[in-house]
Each structure stands twice: as C-alpha cells, then as structure tokens.
C-alpha cells in the first residue's frame, strides 16, 4: 500500500497501515520485526526519489507510557540518565530497539565485554549505543560505519510526540491506546487531519487487527464504541463514494466470527 500510494502520488505522506495488538509484549516484538521491512522500503525510496518522492517511509510505535516515553522532554531525560549511570543487567531500555534493523549491529543497552572474575559470579556491565539525543528529541543511529543507517537516522519513532509529528507509514499500536484520540488533539494527525481538523493527507487505508478472539466481553463492548470513530476517521470522504479502510483480522477461533466482526466493525460483508 505504501509503494502504491507513492507511485500514484509522489508527494504522498502520512500513515498508510495501522497494526493493532491487544498485548503490549506482542506490540513491541512485531515492531522490531517490521522495522527491518521499513528500512528496506526506505533504502529503495532513497535510491528512487524520482519515482517514490522525498517523504521517507517510516515506522512508529504507539503504546502506553509504561513501555515507551510519551513526550520528547521525558525521552531526553531518560536518555541522559542512561548515559550517565553505571548500568547492569537489571536496567531497562524504554526505547525498544536492541539491534539495528538493517545490519543487526548492537543498539540500545549492549554488554561491555569484560573477562569474568574467577570464582565470583558477575553480571555484565552495559553501555548505551546507537540512541542519540538531538536538539529536541531522541533518534536512532547505527554505530557500524559500514551500515547505510550510520549516516542517516533510522526511520523509527517510539515517542508519541514524534508519531504525531512524523505520521509514520506503518503505525503499530495497542487497542487501548486509541482512547487517546478523545483527549489528545495532536492524535488526529495519524488519520491525516491538520491542526484545524481539515483533511491534509490520505487516511490509513489498511488496519491489521491481531488476536481478534481476545476482543470480547467488556473489552469488546468498549472496543466497538471506539471502532465506530476510528473507521470514520479512516474513511476518505473527498471522493464521490467514500472509501473505507480495509480491515484484516487474525484470530485463534473462527466460531461465530461473522457475528463478532459485525458487532465490532458493523460489517456484514466479510470473508474467512
């Protein structure tokens, strides 16, 4: 979808695909995997700007503040703390990236190679590499000089403020995060709207929903309320016939799947 939109509109930018998960652990795992795909797409774009334009392909993660920092100021504060402290195995890296998605060089908190102390159990010390602070935010830069992304920042965004500003091509999020739309005005940029609420870019055209079987009971009731809003925000109404996003779901059970899809998305036309 990302390539298609660029080929039909060289100036296109904004979120094309939303991937939603019910569990934060799955979200972060899929984020690191999808980052490799985005790096490949971005390398192709850089080599073919005459066809694919100047706007980068990128990926963002949109989850709770317990997993990633929501604000740029907090991210810079966390980065400064990690750079100054003596780190060991017990410390956590809230920036998610553990290796360069392009060349697999170590990133984030990486063990410092030291010979073990004889007769004494010792934990490896850690150093923070590949995560750099800029004037106003935190970015990723591979430290392997042979890597393509050692000269260009990786097209990865893990801070909410950056997600709203950069509107990455693929956005990976948890279901509950979409409640932010109700009281976070900047979140409307994800759906292609400018600060005044006018349609500025194409809305997301594809929604991938994982673990559909978990969205039942009270969670399903709340999810269905928000889904009405999300579908409307993702519907392109500029054309004579409004274009709704395509929704693809995965589930561990298919029993009464059609009824569940209708209850959540109000769509009777679905295929297995």
């Amino acid at each position: 979808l990302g390539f298609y939109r660029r080929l039909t509109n060289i100036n296109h930018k904004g979120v094309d695909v939303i991937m939603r998960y019910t569990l934060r652990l799955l979200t972060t795992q899929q984020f690191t995997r999808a980052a490799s795909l985005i790096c490949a797409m971005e390398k192709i774009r850089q080599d073919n700007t005459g066809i694919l334009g100047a706007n980068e392909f990128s990926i963002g993660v949109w989850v709770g503040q317990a997993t990633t920092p929501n604000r740029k100021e907090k991210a810079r504060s966390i980065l400064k703390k990690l750079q100054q402290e003596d780190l060991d195995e017990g410390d956590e890296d809230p920036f998610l990236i553990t290796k360069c998605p392009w060349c697999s060089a170590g990133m984030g908190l990486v063990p410092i190679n030291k010979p073990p102390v004889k007769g004494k159990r010792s934990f490896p010390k850690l150093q923070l590499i590949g995560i750099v602070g800029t004037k106003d935010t935190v970015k990723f830069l591979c430290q392997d000089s042979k890597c393509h992304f050692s000269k260009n920042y990786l097209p990865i965004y893990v801070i909410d403020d950056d997600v709203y500003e950069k509107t990455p091509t693929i956005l990976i999020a948890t279901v509950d995060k979409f409640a932010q739309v109700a009281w976070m005005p900047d979140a409307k940029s994800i759906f292609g709207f400018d600060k005044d609420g006018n349609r500025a870019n194409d809305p997301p055209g594809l929604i991938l929903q994982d673990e559909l079987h978990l969205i039942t009971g009270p969670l399903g009731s709340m999810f269905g309320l928000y889904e009405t809003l999300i579908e409307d925000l993702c519907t392109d109404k500029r054309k004579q016939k409004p274009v709704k996003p395509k929704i693809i779901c995965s589930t561990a059970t298919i029993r009464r799947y059609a009824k569940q899809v209708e209850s959540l998305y109000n769509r009777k036309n679905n295929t297995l």
Side-chain angles (χ1 to χ4, degrees):
L1 179 60
F3 281 124
Y4 173 77
R5 285 184 166 180
R6 295 297 177 87
L7 291 172
T8 54
N9 178 12
I10 196 172
N11 295 315
H12 169 75
K13 62 179 180 179
V15 179
D16 293 329
V17 179
I18 294 176
M19 300 177 67
R20 299 186 301 203
Y21 296 85
T22 52
L23 302 175
R24 290 179 182 176
L25 177 60
L26 291 174
T27 305
T28 56
Q29 289 176 343
Q30 294 300 329
F31 169 69
T32 55
R33 295 170 184 170
S36 298
L37 169 64
I38 277 295
C39 286
M41 292 175 63
E42 175 59 11
K43 178 63 167 59
I44 293 173
R45 185 203 63 79
Q46 291 177 9
D47 294 339
N48 299 273
T49 55
I51 301 175
L52 297 173
N55 298 319
E56 71 173 5
F57 285 119
S58 59
I59 186 170
V61 61
W62 197 39
V63 294
Q65 62 181 353
T67 305
T68 60
N70 288 352
R71 296 287 171 263
K72 293 180 180 180
E73 295 80 7
K74 183 177 180 180
R76 286 176 54 83
S77 175
I78 293 173
L79 177 63
K80 185 176 180 180
K81 182 179 179 181
L82 291 175
Q83 290 173 332
Q84 293 177 345
E85 291 189 356
D86 192 19
L87 306 173
D88 57 36
E89 274 191 330
D91 293 291
E92 295 183 0
D93 175 8
F95 299 107
L96 301 183
I97 299 299
T98 58
K99 64 179 181 179
C100 174
W102 183 249
C103 72
S104 295
M107 294 187 72
L109 294 179
V110 178
I112 302 174
N113 293 325
K114 288 185 176 181
V117 178
K118 186 176 181 180
K120 181 180 179 181
R121 183 182 180 186
S122 60
F123 295 97
K125 293 296 180 180
L126 306 175
Q127 61 178 342
L128 188 71
I129 63 173
I131 302 176
V132 298
T134 62
K135 184 178 180 180
D136 63 341
T137 189
V138 173
K139 295 186 177 182
F140 302 92
L141 188 69
C142 183
Q143 299 303 296
D144 187 337
S145 60
K146 297 180 181 180
C147 178
H148 174 75
F149 290 98
S150 64
K151 303 176 182 64
N152 305 277
Y153 288 120
L154 284 157
I156 295 172
Y157 303 102
V158 301
I159 305 168
D160 286 11
D161 286 341
D162 284 334
V163 168
Y164 303 144
E165 179 182 340
K166 301 297 183 180
T167 57
T169 311
I170 297 179
L171 180 64
I172 299 182
T174 48
V175 169
D176 61 306
K177 190 66 175 183
F178 285 86
Q180 287 280 343
V181 176
W183 62 78
M184 184 59 66
D186 292 341
K188 61 178 174 283
S189 65
I190 292 172
F191 305 98
F193 295 100
D194 60 21
K195 294 182 178 180
D196 297 321
N198 300 314
R199 173 66 68 192
N201 303 312
D202 293 337
L206 177 63
I207 297 175
L208 303 176
Q209 178 61 59
D210 190 41
E211 304 284 350
L212 185 68
H213 59 278
L214 296 179
I215 308 177
T216 59
L219 176 61
S221 298
M222 290 296 297
F223 183 85
L225 292 174
Y226 279 103
E227 191 56 34
T228 303
L229 169 65
I230 300 304
E231 181 174 285
D232 187 67
L233 293 174
C234 291
T235 299
D236 194 343
K237 301 177 182 178
R238 295 172 296 178
K239 301 179 181 180
Q240 186 174 3
K241 184 178 180 180
V243 178
K244 294 183 178 182
K246 182 181 290 294
I247 302 174
I248 299 177
C249 304
S250 66
T251 177
T253 176
I254 60 173
R255 185 172 181 265
R256 300 186 66 188
Y257 79 92
K259 181 63 177 178
Q260 184 184 14
V261 169
E262 181 182 355
S263 298
L264 292 174
Y265 305 107
N266 192 29
R267 295 195 180 192
K268 295 182 180 181
N269 182 19
N270 54 73
T271 58
L272 179 62

